[in-house]
């Protein structure tokens, strides 16, 4: 109560966190050092088509907003159920860390590789280990 709290946002607003802090009397300052710029819709459409045509084995996600962006696009273009099914049966989702993995779980994606050390290099090492087995 009465404390100043700075929250670093990662491309998304965090309304539940901000409300939680404000409800307890904190003075919240939000910092957004990284901004997500949505890719050209033709690129996302191509990714969706490649996923649905079984041309991709794994997709690496480095932020929650990437997860939301892909699945929102899939919903808007009626690919959502197919994309979810592809991740369920063939494609492995790779998350850079537990926050990104949680966003995938919210989309009901269960086949997720998450490195113990939340770094991109560690993510790629875990993916290579997955395919080595």
């Amino acid at each position: 109560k009465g404390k100043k709290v700075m929250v670093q946002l990662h491309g998304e607003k965090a309304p539940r966190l901000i409300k939680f802090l404000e409800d307890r009397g904190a003075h919240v300052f939000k910092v957004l050092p990284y901004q997500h710029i949505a890719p050209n819709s033709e690129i996302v459409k191509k990714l969706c088509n490649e996923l649905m045509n079984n041309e991709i084995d794994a997709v690496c996600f480095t932020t929650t907003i990437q997860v939301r962006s892909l699945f929102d696009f899939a919903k808007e273009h009626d690919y959502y159920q197919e994309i979810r099914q592809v991740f369920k049966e063939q494609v492995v989702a790779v998350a850079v860390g537990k926050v990104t993995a949680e966003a995938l779980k919210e989309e009901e994606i269960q086949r997720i590789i998450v490195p113990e050390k939340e770094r991109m290099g560690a993510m790629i090492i875990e993916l290579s280990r997955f395919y080595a087995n």
Side-chain angles (χ1 to χ4, degrees):
K1 184 172 181 142
K3 299 291 183 185
K4 295 177 185 174
V5 178
M6 184 165 293
V7 176
Q8 180 175 328
L9 302 172
H10 294 276
E12 286 188 298
K13 298 173 184 167
R16 289 190 329 206
L17 174 61
I18 303 302
K19 183 175 179 352
F20 173 85
L21 294 167
E22 289 176 343
D23 286 351
R24 282 153 183 78
H27 302 283
V28 180
F29 300 90
K30 297 171 266 190
V31 177
L32 182 61
Y34 311 105
Q35 290 189 1
H36 174 74
I37 298 171
N40 178 300
S41 62
E42 287 303 311
I43 293 170
V44 183
K45 183 177 181 180
K46 181 178 180 186
L47 172 61
C48 289
N49 285 327
E50 289 174 348
L51 285 165
M52 293 183 292
N53 291 329
N54 298 316
E55 297 174 30
I56 294 177
D57 297 312
V59 177
C60 294
F61 295 92
T62 59
T63 65
T64 59
I65 199 154
Q66 289 175 336
V67 174
R68 305 239 190 282
S69 179
L70 175 61
F71 286 96
D72 287 349
F73 183 91
K75 289 172 189 171
E76 290 170 16
H77 293 85
D78 296 322
Y79 303 145
Y80 184 69
Q81 293 304 327
E82 284 183 81
I83 297 296
R84 281 186 49 226
Q85 195 64 30
V86 166
F87 276 103
K88 186 175 184 178
E89 295 176 356
Q90 290 124 345
V91 176
V92 176
V94 189
V96 73
K98 60 184 170 254
V99 174
T100 305
E102 189 59 37
L104 287 161
K105 290 175 186 173
E106 288 173 8
E107 297 295 344
E108 299 180 19
I109 306 303
Q110 299 301 318
R111 296 179 66 219
I112 306 169
I113 296 171
V114 186
E116 191 171 313
K117 185 176 181 180
E118 298 184 5
R119 298 284 183 265
M120 281 192 267
M123 175 179 69
I124 299 304
I125 290 168
E126 285 301 315
L127 179 60
S128 67
R129 286 182 183 149
F130 175 81
Y131 282 110
N133 294 329

